[in-house]
Amino acid sequence: MDVVDPTYYFSYTPVQVAPEVLAGVFVLISGVLCAQTVRTHGPRWLLLLSATAMGEAIGYGFRTLCIYQTTKILFTLMTLFLLLPPNLLALTNYKTLGATIQQSPLMKTTDSPLILRRPRLITWTFAMSDAVSFFLQAAGVAISTQDGKRELAKHTVLIGLVLQLVFFAGFLALAVGVVHSWRLGSVRKGPRDRSDKSAKRRLFTVIIATTGLLYVRSAYRVAEFVGGYGSWVYRTEWMFYVCDAAMVLASFGVYMTNFIGHHL
């Protein structure tokens, strides 16, 4: 594969060191989250958090390689691993909300809405939206490797990102409704919780805060792809680190400092 100048794909000269540091940080985060899941005896699907951090580490590893030896394959792999893994964070939040509703007192009544008596339907609906968004984004990145299909690739990724934003908004509305309902969202107390109520507040703070951060990241990605290659958003590197890397790091910070494995 031909090696080209980094500006050919990045539209700017990418900074060095930052990707290497972030790759190392995400490896550490992956280890910490894996240990927290094991220590708290949390559900196995919480290992998605650790897997996401490792995916980010791989993405920044490819970004490091791409800076020093820019090829189409390295740039594509970098894009793939930096674009897709955060979808797993959303999936974790979806499954967490479904699990808390399933344990609610309201589940034992027959007068509650059908959708609330079947929390797996909630999880399935949002998980399917996440899967469709994931595959559309992955397909867009794959299409971008073909000559002359950059516009098709851009629009494919955009559809996936917009779909993700729509379901993020719906999920946030549902989560806010559950946290304000005394009959919905049964949560186990953690070591720092004085009551079930404070435990519920802590868990839903994690869900709402991380989903909000992911929403900002996805909105940035939409703006990036709407503008296209060479646009101001695309060629401004600090925006990538502030609106993507920082949002993902902040999400992991929330997960680690208020680990939800205690509550499930």
Side-chain angles (χ1 to χ4, degrees):
M1 191 66 70
D2 293 336
V3 177
V4 298
D5 188 90
T7 57
Y8 181 79
Y9 289 116
F10 287 98
S11 294
Y12 54 79
T13 301
V15 297
Q16 301 175 9
V17 180
E20 294 97 314
V21 171
L22 284 169
V25 168
F26 279 115
V27 168
L28 289 175
I29 290 173
S30 179
V32 169
L33 287 167
C34 184
Q36 287 180 313
T37 302
V38 173
R39 191 180 72 248
T40 61
H41 304 288
R44 289 183 180 179
W45 45 263
L46 286 181
L47 290 172
L48 288 171
L49 297 174
S50 180
T52 303
M54 188 57 67
E56 287 284 312
I58 293 170
Y60 282 103
F62 279 125
R63 187 176 179 92
T64 300
L65 293 174
C66 202
I67 289 173
Y68 297 105
Q69 188 175 356
T70 310
T71 64
K72 179 183 283 188
I73 186 63
L74 285 177
F75 186 81
T76 300
L77 289 170
M78 178 202 75
T79 303
L80 196 68
F81 278 95
L82 292 182
L83 182 64
L84 299 182
N87 290 336
L88 297 179
L89 298 184
L91 180 59
T92 301
N93 287 347
Y94 298 157
K95 290 183 72 66
T96 300
L97 181 63
T100 60
I101 293 176
Q102 189 169 11
Q103 300 174 78
S104 302
L106 190 62
M107 288 292 297
K108 299 179 179 64
T109 66
T110 58
D111 60 339
S112 59
L114 178 62
I115 191 171
L116 296 180
R117 282 185 277 131
R118 294 186 178 179
R120 289 184 180 180
L121 183 60
I122 296 174
T123 303
W124 184 87
T125 300
F126 285 105
M128 283 302 297
S129 74
D130 204 44
V132 172
S133 173
F134 182 96
F135 285 115
L136 282 171
Q137 293 173 52
V141 174
I143 293 170
S144 69
T145 63
Q146 303 175 35
D147 295 333
K149 293 192 176 181
R150 182 171 282 187
E151 282 299 308
L152 176 60
K154 182 182 81 170
H155 288 106
T156 303
V157 173
L158 264 176
I159 292 171
L161 289 169
V162 171
L163 176 68
Q164 192 173 58
L165 283 176
V166 170
F167 277 89
F168 275 175
F171 178 75
L172 279 171
L174 179 61
V176 170
V178 173
V179 76
H180 286 98
S181 170
W182 66 271
R183 293 201 301 168
L184 282 174
S186 179
V187 175
R188 187 177 67 184
K189 284 197 297 184
R192 293 188 293 165
D193 300 311
R194 295 182 179 180
S195 65
D196 291 340
K197 187 176 181 180
S198 65
K200 178 180 176 180
R201 188 183 305 113
R202 186 185 300 277
L203 183 139
F204 277 88
T205 296
V206 172
I207 290 176
I208 293 170
T210 53
T211 302
L213 290 166
L214 292 174
Y215 193 97
V216 172
R217 175 197 173 266
S218 292
Y220 159 72
R221 286 295 192 173
V222 167
E224 179 187 38
F225 280 92
V226 165
Y229 296 93
S231 67
W232 181 80
V233 174
Y234 184 87
R235 57 186 168 83
T236 306
E237 188 177 20
W238 66 263
M239 286 197 69
F240 165 75
Y241 283 108
V242 170
C243 298
D244 190 297
M247 295 300 106
V248 176
L249 276 173
S251 296
F252 279 120
V254 174
Y255 284 121
M256 288 190 295
T257 55
N258 298 278
F259 191 67
I260 59 179
H262 294 291
H263 306 298
L264 301 170

